Amino acid sequence: MTAVTTGTAAVRTYSDHGRALWRRALLTREAAIIVVLVLVVVVALGTVRNFDSPLTVTYLLRDIAPILLIALPMTLIIITEEIDLSVASIVGLSSVTTGILTQAGIPFPAAALVAILVGAVAGVVNGFLVTVVGLPSLAVTIGTLALFRGIAVGLLGTTAITDFPEEWTDLAKANIPGTPVPVVIIPFVVLAIAFAVLLHFTPFGRSLYAIGLNKEAAHFSGINVARSKFALFVMSGAVSGFAGVYFTLLYSNARGDNAMGMELQIIAAVLLGGVSIFGGRGALHGVIAGVLLIGILGSALRLAGVTSDIINVITGVLLILSVVSASLLAWLHTSRAAAIGRRKGRRDADGIAGPR
């Protein structure tokens, strides 16, 4: 992605499509993240004790499952140059809803469905304020982050609900038979395929990239920008609601402060996976690799005895490096394109002025 100046407006567009297919597939940030992920796994297998145990794999995938789930719609939202900081608060609100309804005697499947609907309604609130009222998504979701968390904490106070049907908590903790892979990975794979098809193989997905690159141009080309963004916030809320149900069952605990701070991990993983914070760029396979990289690195460091504070510092440095490297590469690409344009302009001028 680069910036091309036309008149007084800077229009961001892609110049990468002129490159060979293999270069577009392999020389990308997503490919680089996958390479780093493989290197981290290889080093951890050779140096960290018990890293390769089935129990480590199980706990790792259980812990990052909510992040994997919510990162899917978050990717689409950031590609449109928006953001949703309220997702972790929606997880907490969904968790509290699940606990209260289950405690009231409502069958768990019905309670879970209502909790997911509550998440979707929270997404509707975000989408309405951003697309209809026209407020910036950063400001809106900072506000609803506090609003949804306040509602969740207000409903339960400092108490926690821990009595859930055993068959459902066992299912949340169960593995696919014969493997160390948790059952929750099955709905994740289904959702990942659905979001990948939506983003990369449909006109709607292509319209999201167009919105992120230049929403005014997308609007004048016939794309309903507001409706597209509204749908994404609703998707984000619903998936966060589902993640809240899973979170509740996994830890057998419904509390208003569940998943506090998770939004930062999700956004860090999405950006690390190659999605541009400025919109218009990103791919789901890179995001999934980013989530796995953060999760595997954290797991390996914990097994090696590194404290959580140091792990947070390392994660933060990785995120900063990923953002800085993207900006640096974009600047170098833009400078190179501008230099080529200047040289071409001089050659054309020399040809016109030639000998008389």
Side-chain angles (χ1 to χ4, degrees), residues 1 14 29-30 75-76 78-80 199-200 205 209 213 270-271 273-277 279-287:
M1 188 175 65
Y14 278 103
R29 290 186 64 201
E30 291 81 10
T75 299
L76 276 60
I78 295 180
I79 283 174
T80 63
L199 178 61
H200 298 296
Y209 287 103
L213 287 168
V270 171
L271 298 182
V275 179
S276 172
I277 192 65
R281 191 197 187 288
L284 276 176
H285 64 280
V287 170

Side-chain angles (χ1 to χ4, degrees), residues 227-239:
R227 185 171 62 189
S228 298
K229 290 183 178 182
F230 184 86
L232 296 184
F233 279 104
V234 176
M235 289 181 197
S236 178
V239 173

